[in-house]
Amino acid sequence: MPSLESYKSGLDYSYAPGIFPSMECLTYRPEKVRRLLVHSSAAGREGTEKLCALAENYRIRIEEADKALSRISGKENCYAAAVFEKFEDELKEDASHIVLHNPGDFGNVGTILRTALGLGIEDVALVRPCADVFDPKTVRASMGAMFRLRIRVYDRFEEYREQFPERKLYPFMLDASVPLREAVKDKPEAWTLVFGNEGHGLPAEFARMGQAVRIESNDKVDSLNLGIAAAIGLYEFMK
Amino acid sequence: MPSLESYKSGLDYSYAPGIFPSMECLTYRPEKVRRLLVHSSAAGREGTEKLCALAENYRIRIEEADKALSRISGKENCYAAAVFEKFEDELKEDASHIVLHNPGDFGNVGTILRTALGLGIEDVALVRPCADVFDPKTVRASMGAMFRLRIRVYDRFEEYREQFPERKLYPFMLDASVPLREAVKDKPEAWTLVFGNEGHGLPAEFARMGQAVRIESNDKVDSLNLGIAAAIGLYEFMK
């Protein structure tokens, strides 16, 4: 492995910045971890000790790398980062899914991953162009939740559709006629919620691919934030 | 009015950065607007024209201020900003409220303001220490929703309590025994949802002040993001 670079989407590896995200990475994707970077000032701290013990257990190389850490995180207080190989999963056939179509914001994607895991959805698809799910900013916003999820990035939505042709889709659209609380009444066992881009939502043709849903909100705001909409949708569907 | 400074919490005025937040500010708080700043490159654009027409209508001074705009926004593409006086409202007695106790993150506060307005809650209290609700970053994250809300910042929670002694409080706490979907079953007409800090939640004594509530989530994540928790709580209570 060459010397560590600042993160770029073209790299085949990335960084989980922070003690907690690194711990999630080492715990749930140990086979993907290439090295563990720790900051010299973090030696002896409880979190660091646990992290290092875990790394030693898996015979993962531990490196003091103050400069690399500040380069990766852009913040001073990044005490550790796991360097991990990017991965691609198969989504589970009989589980419910969430599909993010062209999400643009790292923070939104990370927050949605964390929310999904917390509410019990473990299969997430993204459709390009989209915020890089492996960018350290996304990993940080997800608090490492991404390492416990099955994640797959598709070039086109049709590829997802071909892989799961039978399942009922619920595209979330501002102009849908069916409100969320109605839509959940006849939901099948495994469903897929689809959310569009922050600025322009989903293309109109999604309305014909499934049961379009809108979240009951008033016209005093343009729309809800993407992460908020996804959370409300997931919460209602998981009840 | 002296020349414009970079925003600091000690100032008695702030900035609504961006065309849309400025429009909300001019539309719903015109009496608070001191000036409208526009970028030279924005002349002739539709949004700018509308904004300037509105300002002229209220006889608000319009100023070309490229340097001030880039200083305020920290981004290059800020085409306009309303300079507004900070305000303090009385919360509505018979309406439902949301109380944010010591929130630390501008983005979370702004997103919650936007969500509240969208879901129909128009009275928001904050308890210090908390992220500055008038910081341009908060204004931006709220997309200007804050100008349509009644907002009040308290030094201590007790002050809020003394002002609204009768109403039922629902503090959101990770260790509460009553799940959200149960708690809403016997909710009164006007209620108050209380959310704590991102890192440490609400102090334990809040459990005795009302009906503590938890959002049904699993232990795979520490907690949900504050903005997400507030959105789910509001959605369920507004149904």
Side-chain angles (χ1 to χ4, degrees):
Chain A
M1 187 175 170
S3 75
L4 296 169
E5 299 184 52
S6 293
Y7 181 73
K8 284 189 290 286
S9 59
L11 293 176
D12 66 349
Y13 63 91
S14 182
Y15 306 96
I19 300 271
F20 191 80
S22 292
M23 187 68 93
E24 295 290 284
C25 186
L26 271 153
T27 306
Y28 299 103
R29 301 271 184 175
E31 75 287 359
K32 296 295 179 194
V33 182
R34 291 183 179 176
R35 304 189 208 176
L36 174 65
L37 311 180
V38 292
H39 197 277
S40 57
S41 71
R45 283 167 181 260
E46 197 192 334
T48 323
E49 298 285 296
K50 271 194 197 169
L51 207 50
C52 290
L54 202 55
E56 278 163 16
N57 189 34
Y58 288 115
R59 299 173 195 282
I60 290 164
R61 179 169 151 198
I62 302 169
E63 231 169 86
E64 205 175 273
D66 296 7
K67 277 191 189 164
L69 284 168
S70 72
R71 201 166 55 224
I72 292 160
S73 70
K75 293 192 175 184
E76 285 160 50
N77 60 348
C78 183
Y79 293 122
V83 183
F84 67 93
E85 272 169 53
K86 295 182 181 178
F87 49 86
E88 185 176 59
D89 303 310
E90 287 296 328
L91 303 187
K92 204 170 160 191
E93 177 69 43
D94 58 353
S96 293
H97 303 166
I98 177 166
V99 176
L100 304 177
H101 188 266
N102 306 156
D105 183 86
F106 299 108
N108 280 339
V109 171
T111 302
I112 291 171
L113 297 179
R114 178 177 168 196
T115 307
L117 182 62
L119 296 180
I121 289 292
E122 306 198 343
D123 294 81
V124 180
L126 292 96
V127 181
R128 294 190 181 93
C130 61
D132 182 359
V133 73
F134 292 113
D135 190 289
K137 291 196 286 290
T138 314
V139 179
R140 184 191 283 273
S142 88
M143 299 283 279
M146 56 186 300
F147 301 114
R148 302 181 74 165
L149 298 170
R150 286 174 290 274
I151 296 177
R152 176 135 199 172
V153 186
Y154 294 87
D155 283 323
R156 299 177 312 119
F157 181 74
E158 289 68 28
E159 293 170 23
Y160 172 82
R161 199 67 189 116
E162 281 157 22
Q163 222 180 329
F164 303 97
E166 302 295 337
R167 70 170 47 217
K168 185 156 179 186
L169 303 178
Y170 292 91
F172 278 64
M173 306 180 83
L174 293 178
D175 57 357
S177 58
V178 174
L180 177 55
R181 75 186 79 172
E182 293 299 322
V184 294
K185 285 183 180 164
D186 62 344
K187 65 173 195 266
E189 191 113 341
W191 35 260
T192 293
L193 309 189
V194 190
F195 297 91
N197 172 271
E198 291 86 352
H200 49 258
L202 286 171
E205 63 261 29
F206 275 79
R208 294 190 301 274
M209 295 186 217
Q211 175 58 68
V213 179
R214 80 183 146 76
I215 295 172
E216 303 87 329
S217 63
N218 58 51
D219 58 4
K220 291 183 180 174
V221 300
D222 245 22
S223 66
L224 297 172
N225 164 285
L226 173 59
I228 299 295
I232 290 174
L234 281 174
Y235 172 78
E236 188 74 317
F237 266 83
M238 288 306 287
K239 283 208 294 196
Chain B
M1 184 175 174
S3 75
L4 296 169
E5 299 183 53
S6 293
Y7 181 73
K8 284 189 289 287
S9 59
L11 294 174
D12 66 349
Y13 63 91
S14 182
Y15 306 96
I19 300 272
F20 191 81
S22 291
M23 187 67 94
E24 296 289 284
C25 186
L26 270 153
T27 305
Y28 299 102
R29 302 271 185 175
E31 75 286 359
K32 296 295 180 195
V33 181
R34 291 183 179 176
R35 304 190 206 175
L36 174 64
L37 311 180
V38 292
H39 197 276
S40 58
S41 71
R45 282 167 181 260
E46 197 193 335
T48 322
E49 298 284 299
K50 272 194 197 169
L51 207 50
C52 290
L54 201 54
E56 278 163 18
N57 189 35
Y58 288 115
R59 299 176 195 283
I60 290 164
R61 180 171 151 198
I62 303 169
E63 231 170 85
E64 205 175 274
D66 296 8
K67 276 190 190 163
L69 284 168
S70 72
R71 199 165 57 226
I72 292 161
S73 69
K75 293 193 176 185
E76 288 160 49
N77 60 348
C78 183
Y79 293 122
V83 183
F84 68 94
E85 273 169 54
K86 295 181 181 180
F87 50 87
E88 185 176 60
D89 304 311
E90 287 296 330
L91 303 186
K92 204 170 161 193
E93 178 68 44
D94 58 354
S96 292
H97 302 167
I98 176 165
V99 177
L100 304 178
H101 189 267
N102 307 156
D105 183 85
F106 298 108
N108 280 340
V109 171
T111 302
I112 291 171
L113 297 178
R114 178 178 168 195
T115 307
L117 182 63
L119 297 180
I121 288 291
E122 306 199 345
D123 294 81
V124 180
L126 291 95
V127 181
R128 293 190 181 94
C130 60
D132 182 359
V133 73
F134 293 114
D135 190 289
K137 292 195 285 288
T138 313
V139 180
R140 185 191 281 272
S142 88
M143 299 283 279
M146 55 185 303
F147 301 114
R148 303 181 75 165
L149 299 170
R150 286 174 291 274
I151 296 178
R152 178 135 198 172
V153 185
Y154 294 86
D155 283 323
R156 298 176 313 119
F157 182 74
E158 290 68 28
E159 293 169 23
Y160 171 82
R161 198 69 188 115
E162 281 158 22
Q163 224 181 327
F164 303 97
E166 302 295 337
R167 72 169 48 217
K168 185 155 179 185
L169 302 179
Y170 292 91
F172 278 65
M173 306 180 82
L174 293 178
D175 56 357
S177 58
V178 173
L180 177 55
R181 74 186 80 170
E182 293 299 322
V184 294
K185 284 182 182 164
D186 62 344
K187 64 172 195 268
E189 191 115 339
W191 35 260
T192 294
L193 310 189
V194 190
F195 297 90
N197 171 272
E198 291 86 351
H200 49 259
L202 286 171
E205 63 260 31
F206 275 79
R208 293 189 303 273
M209 295 188 219
Q211 175 57 69
V213 178
R214 77 182 147 76
I215 296 171
E216 304 88 328
S217 63
N218 57 51
D219 58 3
K220 292 183 180 175
V221 300
D222 245 20
S223 66
L224 296 171
N225 164 285
L226 173 59
I228 298 296
I232 290 174
L234 280 173
Y235 172 78
E236 187 76 317
F237 265 84
M238 289 304 288
K239 281 207 294 195

